[in-house]
Amino acid sequence: MIEEIQDAETLGTNPGDPLPQLPGHVSHGRFERVLRAGHFAVTTEIAPPDSADPDEVLTRASLFDGYVDAINATDGSGAHCHMSSLAVCAILTRAGYSPILQISCRDRNRIAIQGDTLGAAALGVCNALCLSGDDVGAGDHPEAKPVFDFDSVSLTRTLRVLRDESRFLSGRKLDLAPKLFIGSSINPFVPPIANRADQLAKKIEAGAEYIQSQYCFDMDVLKDFMSKAVDMGLTEKAYILIGVGVLPSARTAKWMRANVPGVHIPDNIIKRLEGADKPLREGRNICVEIMQQLKETAGVSGVHVMAYRQEKWVKDVVKRSGVLDGRVPWSPETEELN
Amino acid sequence: MYKVRLWSVRRSRFMEGLYNTVNPAIIAVLKGITKVFGKKLDKPITAAEAGLKGFLFDCQMCGNCALSKTGMSCPMNCPKTIRNGPCGGVRPNGMCEVKPEMRCVWVAAWDGASRMKDGDAIKSIDFAVDHREKGTSTWLKLAREELAEDAK
């Protein structure tokens, strides 16, 4: 077993083949390995194409090669229709990537979600992120029926039942449990700010093993939140990754603040963008600075870079921030070098 | 009614006391009624519960009542019917992402819970609703659970 693990570490495995599950790990995945090894992790988000073309998924993923540990496949984010997160993940696992399956409660009930979770694990997915989901009114099909059979907390617990008790909620046994590393989200930046750490505790109690947060543009609020989380012992129980974003202009920042639910951008950030000669460059500078501060913040285990329509800059900001400490995350290229 | 609902949350501690005194009486009466009439009076009893809780809390009769654990703010008024909220979309002024004219029911819930004696109950997980119970009376459910318990 140990030899097999060492071989896998040094030689890699064929893309699509599951890695061996390390002792004390819940999944076969590379993302869990990075976090449990104590590295500062970097994840990002892939924009699923409005297309049936699998190559488009791989092209978009390749933008992040060598700079991210895992790629979130969004599940109809903003309640807009795109290729499904399950399909995006299946395409990515075939190329060896480590995708995070986002599961929203908006579109599917408990029967569909449990079935999809088994399917995802069967297709090589090792990570799931439990989200409540944006309301249908925010998207391009506002006339759709919102499902919300679960919320993110009940969903998290359900995935833990599938994995740890090897059964459906009904009690019916599974022949093989889905070995998933299970996470959820948190937004420390919107009301009730005083209770957001309590809510984090609830998500962890439900079974979240890692957390990815909403965009952080306000380090003061974040530091308060993290110090509460550390005091409550929550950072011992789950890995906290904080969301960061690349703002291209003051105009976009203002638009996001007004129109994207849950995005908090303080005035000083907007002023900085307004006053900059090259706002695009300044937006990346802000992102780099926040990443560097997060790396030094107690209890923060990594960053989640969300750069919608700015994906080509993810490499740049990760590189300049230095948060990887020279570590080179897996990519199909490093695989070939081996 | 929205205004009454907000009033109930502001007086969550009083409501909690009221609930703790009145509820056992209601359950006792309903146990007696069940013994004599069986399920014959279910409809008017359910309508009475819907009327009273509807007036005070905008109750949606989910049949899985959690008011005492949610700061007296009914979670079924959340457009996403989140039972362990709030979601991450709350507006900076504490209003709902989906209905900007409505205070987030979970901002209200944590606020209400902060004034209650057993407010910490909000920190325990409330697993997803059993949708079979929609439209049924939680009072009758509790009364019958107690009757079944007594019979043991």
Side-chain angles (χ1 to χ4, degrees):
Chain A
M1 176 74 178
I2 296 293
E3 264 175 35
E4 188 189 355
I5 290 165
Q6 280 167 350
D7 281 355
E9 290 289 355
T10 49
L11 301 173
T13 51
N14 290 325
D17 285 353
L19 298 170
Q21 189 174 339
L22 298 180
H25 287 217
V26 296
S27 76
H28 301 270
R30 204 175 288 118
F31 178 48
E32 184 186 4
R33 287 184 175 197
V34 167
L35 285 171
R36 292 210 196 271
H39 297 304
F40 192 83
V42 177
T43 59
T44 193
E45 199 169 84
I46 191 167
D50 296 335
S51 161
D53 180 5
D55 290 337
E56 185 57 33
V57 174
L58 294 169
T59 306
R60 292 182 185 201
S62 67
L63 286 173
F64 313 126
D65 278 358
Y67 288 89
V68 305
D69 295 301
I71 302 173
N72 286 49
T74 56
D75 183 10
S77 77
H80 282 76
C81 249
H82 305 289
M83 186 190 284
S84 76
S85 68
L86 178 55
V88 169
C89 285
I91 294 163
L92 292 178
T93 56
R94 258 141 201 72
Y97 287 103
S98 175
I100 298 176
L101 176 77
Q102 293 198 179
I103 309 174
S104 138
C105 299
R106 182 192 56 235
D107 307 324
R108 277 160 296 161
N109 67 9
R110 61 192 87 185
I111 299 173
I113 286 178
Q114 291 181 90
D116 277 354
T117 304
L118 290 188
L123 289 162
V125 177
C126 295
N127 317 293
L129 185 76
C130 303
L131 304 166
S132 291
D134 297 307
D135 186 74
V136 292
D140 60 348
H141 294 74
E143 68 280 17
K145 182 177 186 193
V147 178
F148 296 113
D149 188 19
F150 281 153
D151 58 22
S152 60
V153 170
S154 294
L155 172 59
T156 305
R157 178 149 280 183
T158 300
L159 296 201
R160 287 295 295 259
V161 167
L162 286 170
R163 188 192 76 197
D164 298 343
E165 299 176 31
S166 191
R167 63 172 177 90
F168 291 112
L169 285 179
S170 66
R172 208 147 47 79
K173 282 283 172 200
L174 305 175
D175 291 332
L176 185 67
K179 298 290 183 200
L180 293 168
F181 189 40
I182 297 162
S184 190
S185 65
I186 191 82
N187 187 355
F189 307 102
V190 291
I193 287 177
N195 300 113
R196 288 292 176 177
D198 296 322
Q199 210 199 1
L200 173 66
K202 248 174 126 167
K203 293 200 165 191
I204 292 172
E205 196 200 327
E209 293 156 326
Y210 67 92
I211 298 287
Q212 289 175 309
S213 90
Q214 178 59 276
Y215 287 112
C216 169
F217 291 109
D218 191 333
M219 280 307 294
D220 293 337
V221 177
L222 193 270
K223 279 179 182 161
D224 280 351
F225 172 78
M226 284 312 301
S227 73
K228 268 189 210 163
V230 170
D231 290 346
M232 290 165 75
L234 301 175
T235 53
E236 302 288 314
K237 296 178 188 161
Y239 300 98
I240 316 283
L241 285 80
I242 301 298
V244 293
V246 181
L247 296 168
S249 67
R251 211 177 114 236
T252 308
K254 281 185 195 161
W255 183 88
M256 280 174 69
R257 182 161 80 166
N259 296 294
V260 183
V263 175
H264 162 67
I265 305 174
D267 292 337
N268 65 334
I269 297 280
I270 294 194
K271 277 192 193 126
R272 249 184 92 174
L273 288 167
E274 274 171 346
D277 292 337
K278 295 178 178 169
L280 205 69
R281 173 102 191 153
E282 192 65 6
R284 298 201 300 279
N285 290 343
I286 291 169
C287 185
V288 166
E289 285 168 29
I290 290 176
M291 284 165 84
Q292 288 167 340
Q293 292 180 51
L294 288 169
K295 176 115 197 284
E296 302 306 320
T297 305
V300 176
S301 296
V303 287
H304 178 52
V305 190
M306 292 172 281
Y308 180 65
R309 290 190 178 159
Q310 305 288 322
E311 287 90 348
K312 62 178 175 184
W313 295 114
V314 170
K315 273 186 181 182
D316 176 69
V317 291
V318 174
K319 194 175 179 178
R320 280 171 51 203
S321 73
V323 294
L324 285 171
D325 284 332
R327 190 169 60 82
V328 182
W330 181 97
S331 75
E333 266 176 39
T334 55
E335 189 81 6
E336 277 166 27
L337 291 175
N338 282 325
Chain B
M1 240 167 57
Y2 180 59
K3 276 191 178 163
V4 180
R5 187 212 297 181
L6 294 185
W7 181 90
S8 300
V9 171
R10 276 200 304 276
R11 279 151 194 81
S12 56
R13 186 163 182 119
F14 167 73
M15 286 302 203
E16 182 185 31
L18 190 69
Y19 171 84
N20 287 339
T21 19
V22 175
N23 209 48
I26 294 175
I27 302 299
V29 169
L30 290 182
K31 276 163 81 174
I33 290 177
T34 300
K35 274 184 198 162
V36 180
F37 297 99
K39 294 187 174 179
K40 276 182 202 152
L41 295 180
D42 278 15
K43 265 196 178 173
I45 291 166
T46 306
E49 181 175 338
L52 181 65
K53 281 161 63 175
F55 174 69
L56 287 174
F57 309 108
D58 279 347
C59 162
Q60 305 290 317
M61 290 301 279
C62 69
N64 295 244
C65 191
L67 276 168
S68 59
K69 292 187 273 179
T70 58
M72 298 291 165
S73 173
C74 171
M76 302 316 276
N77 287 306
C78 164
K80 302 181 187 174
T81 62
I82 285 178
R83 300 283 289 194
N84 300 277
C87 73
V90 185
R91 290 168 192 267
N93 57 3
M95 303 302 259
C96 171
E97 153 198 351
V98 184
K99 295 180 180 171
E101 69 285 358
M102 181 181 84
R103 190 181 187 207
C104 164
V105 304
W106 277 99
V107 168
W110 284 93
D111 176 36
S114 71
R115 282 187 292 273
M116 286 165 65
K117 242 192 216 164
D118 289 325
D120 272 355
I122 198 172
K123 292 178 182 171
S124 61
I125 291 166
D126 183 21
F127 192 74
V129 164
D130 180 343
H131 289 280
R132 291 171 299 184
E133 291 175 344
K134 187 169 171 52
T136 64
S137 158
T138 300
W139 290 345
L140 280 170
K141 183 168 82 174
L142 291 175
R144 278 164 196 164
E145 277 170 8
E146 280 191 21
L147 277 178
E149 202 57 35
D150 295 347
K152 270 182 195 168

